[in-house]
Amino acid sequence: MELTLWDKLSGTLVNALTVVLGTGLGLLLRGRLPERMARIMVQGVGLTTLFIGLSMAQALGRAKGGAIDGVVLGLIALVAGGLLGEWARVEDSLESLGDKIKQAVRGGGSFTEGFVAASLLFCVGPMTLLGSIQNGLTGDASLLLLKATLDGMSAIALTSSFGIGVGFSTLVILLYQGGVALLAGTLSQALPDPAQDPRVLLTTGVGGLMVLGVGINLLGLTKVRVGSFLPALLLAPLVWWLAALLT
C-alpha cells in the first residue's frame, strides 16, 4: 500500500508541534519562575545536551575511512569546517538574520542564540536522520515521536532562557526532517544501511562535537561559536571519501 503524505510526515509534524507547545509553555513560565529555578532548568538541559553530544561523538570510533581513524577524520572535518565557517562569517550571518527576525516579531532575549542552539539540538543527531528515513519509508514514526517528546521538554527550558527564538527552530525541523522523509526512497538506495554507513557515522560524530559545544554554552562555561562549525557537517562525507580514496 502506497504511503500518504501524512504517513511520511507524521513524525516531523508532531515533532514541530511539541517544540511549538514547549516554546509556548516556556514563554508563559518565563519571568514567573524564580531565577534559580529557571537556571536549574537550563543547567539540566545543558547536562543532558552534553550527554547526547558525547553519545553521538562516539560514532567517530566506527567511522574509519581507509586507513585513517574516524576521530582524526572528525577533527579534520571540524577544523576545516570551522575555518570555512569563520571565513564565510556563518555565525555573524546567523546573528544578523536572527536580529532581523527578532525585530520583525518583536522578540526578546537572546533570539539568535536560542534559534541556533535549538536547531542544532533538535536536528543534528542519529534520531533525526534514522527516524525521518524510517517514517518516510514505512510510515513508522515511533523514533521521531520519542524525539518529539525530548525536544518538547528541552524547548521549555531553552525558551525560559533564550526566548522565542527557540520556536523558530520548527522551520528547520520541517525543512530538514520533512525533506529527508520525502526523499527517503532515494536515500535508501544510496544508504542501504544508514545506521552503519561510515559517512553517516562521521557526520553524526562531528554533529555530536557541535552539540557538545551547545551544552557548554548552555552551562556558561565559555562561548563556543557553534554556528561557524556548521560547514563541517557538509565536509564530513567528503573528508571520509577522500580518506577512503587516498588510503
Side-chain angles (χ1 to χ4, degrees):
M1 183 176 67
E2 186 175 351
L3 297 177
T4 65
L5 191 62
W6 165 254
D7 291 331
K8 297 178 181 179
L9 296 177
S10 56
T12 296
L13 295 176
V14 171
N15 197 168
L17 178 61
T18 59
V19 171
V20 170
L21 293 176
T23 301
L25 185 55
L27 289 173
L28 288 175
L29 294 175
R30 194 178 190 199
R32 292 178 171 82
L33 287 176
E35 183 181 351
R36 67 182 187 279
M37 295 181 69
R39 184 170 60 250
I40 204 68
M41 287 178 63
V42 175
Q43 288 177 345
V45 174
L47 291 172
T48 304
T49 302
L50 288 178
F51 173 77
I52 293 172
L54 284 170
S55 300
M56 292 170 57
Q58 291 179 3
L60 293 175
R62 297 185 288 135
K64 189 173 183 180
I68 303 178
D69 188 78
V71 176
V72 176
L73 296 178
L75 175 62
I76 294 172
L78 193 68
V79 172
L83 292 173
L84 181 60
E86 281 296 301
W87 173 79
R89 305 183 72 87
V90 173
E91 178 98 354
D92 297 334
S93 298
L94 286 173
E95 289 181 356
S96 177
L97 175 61
D99 289 340
K100 291 179 181 178
I101 299 176
K102 178 179 177 179
Q103 293 174 2
V105 302
R106 298 180 180 179
S110 305
F111 186 99
T112 305
E113 291 89 336
F115 172 72
V116 173
S119 297
L120 283 172
L121 182 59
F122 299 158
C123 295
V124 177
M127 290 180 70
T128 302
L129 182 60
L130 298 179
S132 298
I133 291 175
Q134 182 184 51
N135 196 189
L137 282 178
T138 67
D140 182 1
S142 57
L143 195 57
L144 287 184
L145 292 179
L146 173 60
K147 176 180 177 294
T149 303
L150 297 173
D151 290 353
M153 296 177 63
S154 298
I156 298 174
L158 289 174
T159 303
S160 68
S161 177
F162 293 123
I164 198 172
V166 174
F168 279 80
S169 65
T170 55
L171 299 176
V172 182
I173 291 174
L174 291 171
L175 289 174
Y176 176 56
Q177 285 189 191
V180 171
L182 292 176
L183 293 173
T186 303
L187 286 174
S188 66
Q189 298 175 8
L191 304 173
D193 187 8
Q196 300 299 325
D197 190 286
R199 293 164 293 183
V200 175
L201 290 172
L202 184 61
T203 304
T204 297
V206 170
L209 296 176
M210 295 169 61
V211 171
L212 280 172
V214 172
I216 291 171
N217 288 343
L218 288 172
L219 293 174
L221 300 178
T222 187
K223 174 61 178 175
V224 180
R225 289 173 61 85
V226 178
S228 292
F229 287 112
L230 286 173
L233 295 174
L234 299 177
L235 290 180
L238 177 62
V239 169
W240 178 89
W241 178 78
L242 288 173
L245 180 68
L246 297 175
T247 61

